[in-house]
Amino acid sequence: MTEFRSVVAETGEAHGDPLTVHGPEDVAAACAAADAAFDTYRATSNEERAAFLERIADEIMGIGDELIEAYTRESGLPKGRAEGERGRTCGQMKMFADVVRKGQWEQIRIDPAMPDRQPLPRPDLRLRMIPVGPVAIFGASNFPLAFSTAGGDTASALAAGCPVVVKGHPAHPHTGGLVADAISRAVKASGLPEGVFQHLSGPSNELGAALVQDPHIMAVGFTGSRAGGLALAKLAQERPVPIPVYAEMSSINPVILLPHALKARGSDLGTAFVGSLTMGAGQFCTNPGLVLAIEGDGIEDFITAATGGVSESKPQTMLTKGIASAYAKGLEVLSGLPGVDMLAKGEEGSVTTGGTALFQTSAEKFLAEPKIAHEVFGSSSVIVRCKDEAELKQVLEAVEGQLTATLHMDDADQAAAGRLVPVLERRVGRILVNGWPTGVEVCHAMVHGGPFPSTTDPRTTSVGSLAIDRFLRPVSYQNFAQGLLPPELRDDAKGDGVPRLVDGKLTVS
Amino acid sequence: MTEFRSVVAETGEAHGDPLTVHGPEDVAAACAAADAAFDTYRATSNEERAAFLERIADEIMGIGDELIEAYTRESGLPKGRAEGERGRTCGQMKMFADVVRKGQWEQIRIDPAMPDRQPLPRPDLRLRMIPVGPVAIFGASNFPLAFSTAGGDTASALAAGCPVVVKGHPAHPHTGGLVADAISRAVKASGLPEGVFQHLSGPSNELGAALVQDPHIMAVGFTGSRAGGLALAKLAQERPVPIPVYAEMSSINPVILLPHALKARGSDLGTAFVGSLTMGAGQFCTNPGLVLAIEGDGIEDFITAATGGVSESKPQTMLTKGIASAYAKGLEVLSGLPGVDMLAKGEEGSVTTGGTALFQTSAEKFLAEPKIAHEVFGSSSVIVRCKDEAELKQVLEAVEGQLTATLHMDDADQAAAGRLVPVLERRVGRILVNGWPTGVEVCHAMVHGGPFPSTTDPRTTSVGSLAIDRFLRPVSYQNFAQGLLPPELRDDAKGDGVPRLVDGKLTVS
């Protein structure tokens, strides 16, 4: 068995004592406990569950500086980012507490009986959403708090009423362990069974495979590489009872510079672009890895500013030595592709850092070589120069499914933008105007998802309140006596402020 | 190439001229046309799409008696059933017209910008659902109208804004062809591109396989056998871009007779049960193929009445000779299983008919032999005698995912029912009290779906208005100028009666 230890991102060296390595029996025990806790947990009231989520946020804040220190040490990311992400993580828990309290998540539908209907009476039918069952969550390396142990997947699954078994990310075991302990304290303080939340740790992929294959697990949330997501999805499909895997995988997030905007502020756009590209060492799912521009005024200003920014950029510690080395490898492959020219490269550091890199190619070359569109995880981007709007559209249509696309535009670009939006809608989950894709707002109208291969399931999102829907399924109750119905479906539940679709008409009482 | 002809269900003989057999090029052409029509079709207003769905209903009614004759000839089902199903099919189209008009399907969410928020401003974010793209629909043999060419899958996909390519069921090509022509007339009359609806016909599975594998197809609706559904789901998963398959497959729909109800009306329940079991020659997805009862008063009354009813039952023409022969084979297998006793068998007919059959076993034997729980498509059912409630619960926990479960109960059974409902919720999509599972109401609170293997995706339903969600995915628009937003997301759309979640608060203006 490999020794499993926390690693200091900056030095690549081990830190602290050897850590617990869970095995197949631990997986089986955790999943059985999650299953045993399911009926108790899902029977909690919305208020109880909301208070529990808020308690988790309090417990995470209660860890204090120890958490920030573990985070920065294990991720190489700065303190400000750690604090911001902690705030986001706790804010996310509180948002889901609010969602649970409001009750819309239950999607209540009531079709009252019509005893006199001809030719046949209509029975009384009532529908609500129930949680799917125990959920396995795989944290991401690039957001050790907001997309990991207590991240959006865990928050939305717990909000739905699903017990959660987390496979802690081996790149930040101390951070994950501290957060897991905080959640377990909240479980205990809320009088819930321990099986509501469990945390497994270890460095191997086998651990995750066993988790996805456990018959008690009913859904999987994952954020990470395409290879990892596809492997889990395959395992999940091959189970005797297949289950959904919500994997958020690779994306290169095209940024489109429309002619008038480019002409008016090519240089400013170039500078701002480098800011988005280099943020967090480029380790964002929404990093702008592809820039599309039409030949014309402003394109050279953009390139000059971007090239300058990239050349001056400092190397940044990457999340793991493995990621830094995969990044270096990715740059090497990209540099070697026919028709791809390196425009600029930032300062280089050690084996644990990544320097920024900027490439350019023509639309023609891009269309001829699919590898140019492969994600290079880190601060690397490719500018694709297009002859005209038609060619730009061709490039977009050749691009795989993405999390985001961005339009930089002025008023005079509106007609062109209007022609491109339908193309983008079919390819991405979120379209931005005059912004940068890094920075994903946690709110109700967010879609952090998109067509394959950006995710395995474009019908949903992993950020924002809509994420709860992933862990729900509908059940219909026909001709139930009032006393046997779940409380929220009874006639006397009216007035609780929960929206209900009654006979097809939405009512909020 | 096998000749492809319509077959008279009652005689098993061919009827009418040889029919068109579509091949791989036809599939490719149809899917390309559907893709080409997609952007035009999805850009129609809710009102235009609703009027189109209503026009389909009118065109189907306009076919007149020719449709009823083809239906009864091809299915062997009686005229009353044909007329009822036609009404249901058209009613379904009209229900979706209403759903489309009301606009709730778009699930609009608006989080207005907060320019002064600290530490960072919040951008304006707006979300709506858009259709997933062209959809392939496989009709079912057992509902030649309501689950076939113009059935719930087609209606909900068209309502969502998805072009549809139907693979017509070879058991009712004349019925399907008449309906397909009616839909195409509605397409034309509505000024829509022909690619909005297309119909492929032929006897082979390869045709369906090619359809699921076509890169333009973005989702699949299927109702049929477990083997068929799983084969399509596998093909869909193995595509370069995997797509969801909504397959409604096998179900044996447990009916639970609780002690007080059984004691009070065992004999009446036995008679009513045979009515549900034999309806439509037992060819319903919701046919009651499993009856669970606890030993005690009334169980013999139930069995006496059920046995009598089954013995007196007449043979009924089945949908196809193949189904009749599979049914006979299924009865043979069931009869030969250890611990399974045949209680009664109805009158037998020809090779195109199926006679009713009733079996009994003990809970112990049932738990020891999983094959007892395999669906036998037709009017066959197994009574499982349980020693007590604990054993009954054990049997339920051993049963695979189901479309429905039914509780027959009196007031005095309420405590026992309350203990069983959580068990049933985890296993089925719809729970009925004091009714029979055959007969699926088309309404808003219906779930005709359930855990695997009753369907491939328990997060949804194939009957009722919630079915539209299968063909939608969310897109988020960040910082769009009003003029670039889809009309329903603009500020001036308020007052159109469409519900919107604004800053997390549901508003209906």
Side-chain angles (χ1 to χ4, degrees), chain B residues 291-378:
Chain B
V291 177
L292 310 182
I294 297 171
E295 296 290 355
D297 292 343
I299 191 165
E300 296 307 336
D301 297 341
F302 177 87
I303 288 176
T304 303
T307 303
V310 166
S311 303
E312 285 161 21
S313 68
K314 302 288 170 207
Q316 294 180 69
T317 300
M318 295 195 81
L319 294 159
T320 68
K321 224 201 277 191
I323 288 177
S325 114
Y327 176 65
K329 184 86 203 293
L331 294 188
E332 206 181 299
V333 171
L334 201 48
S335 310
L337 294 177
V340 176
D341 304 316
M342 185 178 277
L343 286 177
K345 180 118 180 49
E347 205 177 296
E348 301 201 29
S350 70
V351 291
T352 61
T353 66
T356 316
L358 186 61
F359 300 87
Q360 92 175 348
T361 190
S362 67
E364 204 183 340
K365 304 282 186 190
F366 181 88
L367 290 166
E369 177 50 85
K371 282 187 194 152
I372 304 177
H374 285 191
E375 184 187 32
V376 177
F377 189 71

Side-chain angles (χ1 to χ4, degrees), chain A residues 35 246 425 459 477-478, chain B residues 246 425-426 430 459 477:
Chain A
D35 187 67
Y246 300 103
E425 284 176 326
R459 293 164 294 177
Y477 303 83
Q478 181 170 327
Chain B
Y246 300 103
E425 285 175 325
R426 291 180 67 169
R430 176 168 58 117
R459 292 164 295 177
Y477 304 82

Side-chain angles (χ1 to χ4, degrees), chain A residues 319-486:
Chain A
L319 293 159
T320 67
K321 223 198 282 190
I323 288 177
S325 115
Y327 176 66
K329 184 87 202 293
L331 293 189
E332 205 182 299
V333 171
L334 200 49
S335 310
L337 293 176
V340 176
D341 302 317
M342 185 178 278
L343 285 177
K345 180 119 179 51
E347 206 176 296
E348 301 199 31
S350 70
V351 292
T352 61
T353 65
T356 315
L358 185 63
F359 300 88
Q360 92 174 348
T361 191
S362 67
E364 204 183 339
K365 304 282 187 191
F366 182 88
L367 291 167
E369 177 50 85
K371 281 187 196 151
I372 304 177
H374 286 190
E375 185 187 30
V376 177
F377 189 72
S379 52
S380 160
S381 193
V382 181
I383 300 171
V384 181
R385 302 176 74 126
C386 307
K387 282 201 293 275
D388 49 26
E389 189 187 314
E391 205 180 50
L392 186 144
K393 202 176 152 211
Q394 252 187 304
V395 169
L396 284 175
E397 285 176 340
V399 164
E400 294 183 294
Q402 303 291 333
L403 295 172
T404 73
T406 301
L407 292 165
H408 281 283
M409 59 180 284
D410 275 358
D411 287 348
D413 293 310
Q414 176 127 345
R419 288 187 294 269
L420 292 175
V421 167
V423 179
L424 298 177
E425 284 176 326
R426 293 179 66 169
R427 264 154 206 84
V428 314
R430 176 168 57 118
I431 310 172
L432 301 84
V433 169
N434 292 336
W436 298 96
T438 44
V440 179
E441 185 68 33
V442 178
C443 61
H444 305 286
M446 174 50 65
V447 177
H448 187 64
F452 187 89
S454 68
T455 76
T456 46
D457 194 335
R459 293 164 294 177
T460 181
T461 173
S462 66
V463 175
S465 63
L466 193 62
I468 193 174
D469 285 10
R470 300 176 295 171
F471 303 116
L472 298 172
R473 50 171 276 258
V475 174
S476 181
Y477 303 83
Q478 181 170 327
N479 201 25
F480 269 48
Q482 289 290 314
L484 191 62
L485 279 169

Side-chain angles (χ1 to χ4, degrees), chain B residues 48-200:
Chain B
E48 287 166 327
R49 210 139 74 245
F52 167 52
L53 296 173
E54 288 166 343
R55 181 70 188 241
I56 294 176
D58 292 344
E59 292 288 348
I60 291 172
M61 286 311 294
I63 307 171
D65 286 348
E66 195 186 352
L67 181 61
I68 302 300
E69 284 156 20
Y71 177 108
T72 53
R73 187 178 65 241
E74 293 188 318
S75 70
L77 294 166
K79 191 179 173 196
R81 161 74 188 269
E83 288 170 345
E85 205 181 314
R86 179 178 61 181
R88 177 192 171 110
T89 305
C90 295
Q92 214 155 237
M93 284 289 169
K94 288 175 184 169
M95 179 195 70
F96 278 110
D98 186 49
V99 165
V100 170
R101 273 200 189 93
K102 285 202 177 113
Q104 204 196 341
W105 68 272
E106 298 181 79
Q107 299 184 38
I108 293 175
R109 292 165 168 237
I110 297 178
D111 290 322
M114 293 178 171
D116 301 325
R117 192 184 61 172
Q118 291 304 328
L120 285 172
R122 180 170 84 175
D124 182 275
L125 278 152
R126 299 174 188 230
L127 178 153
R128 66 165 179 168
M129 289 288 168
I130 68 165
V132 293
V135 170
I137 304 288
F138 292 77
S141 61
N142 61 341
F143 278 83
L145 288 168
F147 280 84
S148 190
T149 313
D153 283 345
T154 297
S156 54
L158 289 176
C162 298
V164 166
V165 184
V166 166
K167 197 268 187 188
H169 200 289
H172 51 258
H174 285 171
T175 309
L178 288 168
V179 171
D181 290 346
I183 302 177
S184 291
R185 284 195 297 276
V187 168
K188 198 165 183 186
S190 307
L192 295 168
E194 282 180 24
V196 167
F197 177 83
Q198 292 164 99
H199 183 248
L200 299 169

